[in-house]
Amino acid sequence: MRAVLVAFGLILALATPAAGFETEEDTRFAAVGGTEQAELSVLSTTDTDVLRPVIAAFQARNPGIALRYTVANSQQVFAAINDDRAAYDLVISSAMDLQMKLANDGLALPLRSEATGLLPEWARWQDLLFAFAQEPVVLIVARAALDGAPVPRTRRELTQLLRDLPERFIGRIGTYDPEASGAGYLFVTQDARLSDTFWRLAEVMGGLAPQLYDSSAPMIADLKSGRLVLAYNVLGSYAAPRLAGSDALVMVELEDHTLTLLRTALVPVTARAPELGALFLDFLLGAEGRKLIASAAGLPPIDAAALSAKPHLRVIRLDAGLLVYLDVLKRRAFLEEWQAALIQP
């Protein structure tokens, strides 16, 4: 893969490493074989342990490359590139809209390769932004909280369940905080766009003192501990391996619609080694990377046939429509409406 059409020499000279934002993990994987020829730096919202097997396989294929893998939340990842112009070689995020803004604002290098060319149109944007995983956004509910009631299969049924049995759910519902989480903001804006019942559900949840989170992992942990009995808009790729073998919690793809997130990657114009970022992206999109993403990382790779087989899965397409709710006034108005519905006194 080659970065094309962008003259980035001056930008590279001015780029500085990220030091002014908070990170969750910062792991360095030494080059395989003892001879280090180069270092690839990746900034990501994906937990290190999720991609660890993929990183190991990539380094086995490229033994001279060390890899620094930094994890932050989606807002921090966006700010690191947009505000700080941090010098990472590949940026991976679950916040598709924020990634789209980086690409649209000229902060991503154009890339072309055989692997990127095989992606469906909805999974890439203008040779700047590329999806490597498609992940359903699910509901998780504790069977004990249902106490024999049927598992809700639509937002309408979920709303009715919460109205009928509020004492079982008060203070024990988890969902994303869209002000703190880029992915959470994406989910609620897409929900509102697709569903007439979303605001009704938000109001009912708001009356039950929901707990707000900035990522899926702690929500899942609190479900397993019993602190929560229901979580709305959880990444299924994170939930499935953590719930494997448990009958206490049920994961539901809602039939009125189940948002399907695309986990995306781009090479920023500030990259010090853009060719290495492109090399790792090609590996993610290639046959070996796709197999590992599915089998070892637990992330469903891009698969148009899998989406067609489940009509309730609504993929969030990579297009300029993602930018609508990033407008400052629209974002403020939406969050005010969300706060009025969900954060009730």
Side-chain angles (χ1 to χ4, degrees), residues 10-76:
L10 178 59
I11 295 173
L12 291 180
L14 296 174
T16 57
F21 71 102
E22 184 179 350
T23 63
E24 297 174 8
E25 299 176 62
D26 199 344
T27 306
R28 191 177 191 277
F29 297 86
V32 175
T35 302
E36 182 175 317
Q37 300 169 350
E39 181 179 89
L40 162 65
S41 62
V42 179
L43 178 62
S44 177
T45 63
T46 306
D47 291 351
T48 306
D49 284 344
V50 173
L51 285 186
R52 191 181 297 273
V54 180
I55 292 169
F58 171 78
Q59 290 188 296
R61 286 269 184 172
N62 301 275
I65 299 177
L67 192 148
R68 181 165 63 96
Y69 191 84
T70 303
V71 178
N73 72 35
S74 52
Q75 296 279 17
Q76 293 163 341

Side-chain angles (χ1 to χ4, degrees), residues 137-223:
V137 182
V138 301
L139 168 74
I140 303 175
V141 61
R143 293 187 189 277
L146 296 173
D147 194 23
V151 175
R153 296 294 174 184
T154 66
R155 284 165 184 79
R156 191 179 303 277
E157 291 179 6
L158 174 58
T159 301
Q160 194 61 50
L161 174 69
L162 299 179
R163 280 177 171 163
D164 290 346
L165 303 170
E167 69 283 354
R168 299 182 188 176
F169 297 97
I170 190 163
R172 303 180 75 189
I173 296 173
T175 193
Y176 272 101
D177 180 351
E179 292 190 88
S181 166
Y185 182 70
L186 174 66
F187 297 158
V188 292
T189 54
Q190 293 295 311
D191 266 346
R193 185 178 68 84
L194 289 173
S195 174
D196 294 335
T197 61
F198 169 72
W199 287 115
R200 192 175 308 121
L201 172 60
E203 289 172 358
V204 172
M205 286 198 298
L208 296 173
Q211 308 300 311
L212 304 180
Y213 296 79
D214 64 3
S215 65
S216 285
M219 263 193 282
I220 297 166
D222 283 349
L223 280 163

